[in-house]
Structure formats: C-alpha cells, structure tokens
Amino acid sequence: ARLSERAGQQQGMSPSRQAPRFLQVLSGRGSLRLFERKGALAVREYRVEKQGVRLDAFLQKAEPSLTKGALHRYLRENKIKVNGKRLPLSARLAVGDTVRLYAPQAAPAQAGGPAYLAAKPYFTPVYEDAQVLVAQKPAGLLVQDEAGVQGDTFLNRARRYLYEKGGPEADALQLCHRLDTGTSGLVIFAKTPAALEQMAELIRTRAVRKEYLCVTLGAPVPPAAKLCAYLVKDAKRGMVRVTHARERGAKEIVTRYETLCTSGALALLRVQLVTGRTHQIRVHMQYIGFPIVGDPKYSLRKTLPTQGQMLHAYQLSFTHPSTGERMTFEAPLPPEFEALLTQLRQERSGL
C-alpha cells in the first residue's frame, strides 16, 4: 500500500514560504505525499494494490496498531472513506481504490512522563475490573481531544488514574463511547483491545442501554413517547438538525422519553438513547419544541440561570465482555443538577 499523510506547516519553513498543496517525496514504501492538515486530524491515504481484500484487513495491515474496535469507531464517525464514500468494513476492495483514514495524531511525549499526566488528578470511578472501567464524567470536561492539544480531558484523567495506581493498562485505555462536553454522567472505558472490540460490537448492535435525566423547558405532549426521525450533521456550524424525511447523509435516530414530573414551565424527563448520534437527545427534544435547560446550542430561549445544560447520563446497562454478566450502573446527580431540582421542589413538592 502507498501511504500519504496530511500535515500542517513543514518544519524549517517560514510562514511566507509554505510548501505547495502537496509535496511528493520518494520513500521505500512508494510515494509519500504531505498534505495540509484537515481540521485537527491527520489524514492517511492508501492506494489498494491487491484485488478483493477486505477493508478492515487492509487497514489493519497498513496500520498494525489499529484494533477492530477502533476501526468500528472510526467508521461510525465517518473517518474511513473508500473513493470518497463510506463503505462497511466487510467491503471488498479493488486494485486502484483509494482508502483514506482520518485519525488523530499521537500526543507529543512529555519529558517528565506520559502526556496524560498533564491532566488534573480528579477522577470518579464507579466500577473497575481487568477488562473495563466505568466512571462519572463531570459536566464541562472534554472527553477526548483528537488533536492532542488539550491535556486535561476525561480520557487523560482516566489514564492518569490508572498510571498512578501502577496499572499497566494506562496507555492502552480507550473510550467505548462519548458524552458531549456539557453532559455529565457515566462513560465506559476498555482496558484491553479485546474488551474494546467486544464493547464496540455491543454498542453497534444496541445492546448497551443508556438512560439520561434532563430538565426541559415545557412539558412534552404526550408525556411519554418514542421519537423516530433522521439526523443530519452541519459540520461548518458544529451542529446537527432533525428531519422526518430521509435525505442524503441522514442517519436514523430513535429516542424514548418519559415525563417524571413537572413544575411550572419545566419538566423532569427520563430519556432512553436507543441510537447514539451526535447531540441526539439535545436536538431531538428541541425539534419537538421542548429544549433542554441550559443547552448553549439548541436552547435559544433564556430560562433559569444554571451552570450548564441539564442533561445527565445517569444509568448504563450492558453485558460484561468477559463474564457475560448483565451489569447496571447509576451515577448520582451532579451538584448543579441537584441545585436546580432543589429550586423546583420549593415551587412544587414531589419533584
């Protein structure tokens, strides 16, 4: 396979003398192209030279460090393209096909130890064994910075936590799923490549049950429902939108909600995330006319003064990848959530 990598400014060059759009260099592996960086990701481009090879096998041979779990995650995030299109990992490639992998570059090593030691030493584990780690993320903390610029992320805090315990799996720890920066609650990590692959399959087949609590502006009608629609990303604005008609690039979304109680103009809901798309709960509730209190993107109306968006991933259930045991975990409400509920209790008892 021929490898191309996109990068930013070439080392040793002044800003006034930038490299051209691409620069071809002969190497032992064939033709190496250096491109401008696309956003915060390094883009690796390969030319297929063998007929009929599977896409996943091709990428794992080209990038031996890639696990199957990482491949599934990159595919879900549209970071694997064949001739500009998204194909399943089981797709058979043809000679001459172009495969692009949009993957983060590794964070630079620190002189005093691993880069993740720059993260703050605040971490709340909920469950841990040799395969998985479940922990509670505070609102306002970035889960992962793929550009490797932000040191204090939830993933880095988890790695620091394991490192300081003397755990050998700190460097190998990977996220199984994500939460938005403004959302608090439970996150699953995998300690081994095998656990990551098994958890990715559970998530892909919707075998991981995720439930949230949120406070909305207005009480939904009906008080409980299953919402089905499609979600379209707007990459330029960093937002998504919901549509009832399938259109190009749209993905199916399914959200269930149940109103637990109301107080004045607000409602406390329990929400089950059936599909796990970007900003799904936030935009789906906004779409039906009941945005989440404190949401900076999708709640345009001013509501109560809060310290963040009132969305909390309070419960996770999944089958353990090694033991086969069904496990359920719950996370207590964060202080800002409790403060708002206390205020609402003063207005109406029973909330």
Side-chain angles (χ1 to χ4, degrees):
R2 294 176 182 173
L3 167 67
S4 302
E5 288 197 11
R6 294 189 175 191
Q9 297 181 358
Q10 307 305 313
Q11 291 185 355
M13 300 182 65
S14 65
S16 62
R17 297 183 61 190
Q18 290 298 307
R21 175 68 178 170
F22 64 86
L23 177 67
Q24 286 204 350
V25 182
L26 295 180
S27 72
R29 299 183 64 182
S31 177
L32 170 65
R33 288 183 177 182
L34 300 177
F35 291 84
E36 295 176 6
R37 177 176 292 186
K38 179 181 176 63
L41 300 178
V43 184
R44 297 169 175 84
E45 183 179 285
Y46 303 91
R47 186 77 63 177
V48 178
E49 298 177 348
K50 183 179 179 181
Q51 185 73 22
V53 64
R54 279 175 56 115
L55 175 57
D56 51 3
F58 176 85
L59 283 172
Q60 285 190 300
K61 184 175 181 180
E63 295 284 343
S65 62
L66 279 179
T67 64
K68 288 185 178 180
L71 286 177
H72 283 293
R73 186 175 77 250
Y74 288 147
L75 188 69
R76 289 197 309 270
E77 297 170 353
N78 286 320
K79 293 176 182 176
I80 299 174
K81 297 293 179 67
V82 179
N83 301 326
K85 298 181 180 180
R86 183 178 184 272
L87 295 180
L89 292 174
S90 59
R92 299 285 177 174
L93 303 176
V95 173
D97 282 347
T98 298
V99 179
R100 284 186 175 179
L101 172 65
Y102 299 77
Q105 292 188 346
Q110 301 291 317
Y116 51 75
L117 292 184
K120 294 180 180 179
Y122 307 124
F123 188 73
T124 307
V126 174
Y127 173 82
E128 179 180 356
D129 61 28
Q131 300 295 319
V132 297
L133 169 64
V134 180
Q136 180 167 346
K137 184 187 89 69
L141 180 63
L142 186 67
V143 171
Q144 180 183 24
D145 178 20
E146 293 186 331
V149 177
Q150 178 66 41
D152 188 29
T153 66
F154 195 48
L155 175 59
N156 280 347
R157 288 190 186 187
R159 286 174 171 168
R160 175 172 179 167
Y161 161 77
L162 292 177
Y163 179 87
E164 292 181 342
K165 284 181 57 182
E169 60 280 275
D171 292 318
L173 191 73
Q174 295 291 337
L175 286 160
C176 296
H177 63 107
R178 303 186 182 201
L179 291 180
D180 296 337
T181 299
T183 303
S184 59
L186 296 172
V187 175
I188 308 170
F189 298 90
K191 289 186 173 184
T192 67
L196 181 63
E197 181 179 344
Q198 291 168 319
M199 288 304 306
E201 180 64 14
L202 290 175
I203 292 172
R204 186 187 69 80
T205 57
R206 303 179 186 176
V208 177
R209 185 182 177 95
K210 306 174 186 176
E211 293 197 357
Y212 293 69
L213 292 175
C214 68
V215 177
T216 61
L217 180 60
V221 179
K226 175 182 177 182
L227 306 175
C228 300
Y230 297 94
L231 183 145
V232 181
K233 285 188 176 182
D234 184 343
K236 291 183 179 180
R237 300 174 61 200
M239 299 177 70
V240 297
R241 61 182 174 86
V242 174
T243 174
H244 269 293
R246 182 187 290 274
E247 57 184 79
R248 185 176 181 181
K251 294 183 178 180
E252 178 191 16
I253 56 172
V254 180
T255 310
R256 290 190 175 97
Y257 73 84
E258 174 190 3
T259 303
L260 299 180
C261 48
T262 62
S263 177
L266 304 180
L268 176 66
L269 309 185
R270 177 167 53 218
V271 182
Q272 182 189 354
L273 193 63
V274 181
T275 55
R277 310 297 187 193
T278 303
H279 302 172
Q280 178 178 321
I281 295 176
R282 298 162 60 189
V283 72
H284 219 164
M285 297 312 300
Q286 180 270 338
Y287 180 73
I288 65 172
F290 305 97
I292 292 175
V293 172
D295 190 328
K297 283 183 179 286
Y298 303 104
S299 182
L300 301 180
R301 290 172 286 179
K302 296 292 184 180
T303 56
L304 297 176
T306 64
Q307 297 181 3
Q309 64 189 23
M310 296 295 100
L311 180 61
H312 177 62
Y314 89 99
Q315 188 179 92
L316 275 174
S317 298
F318 61 92
T319 301
H320 194 281
S322 294
T323 66
E325 177 187 359
R326 189 68 181 177
M327 311 183 79
T328 298
F329 304 98
E330 291 189 357
L333 292 174
E336 60 272 16
F337 218 109
E338 286 280 14
L340 178 57
L341 294 186
T342 297
Q343 181 177 344
L344 297 181
R345 286 190 191 101
Q346 296 172 355
E347 299 176 9
R348 176 176 177 175
S349 62
L351 187 63

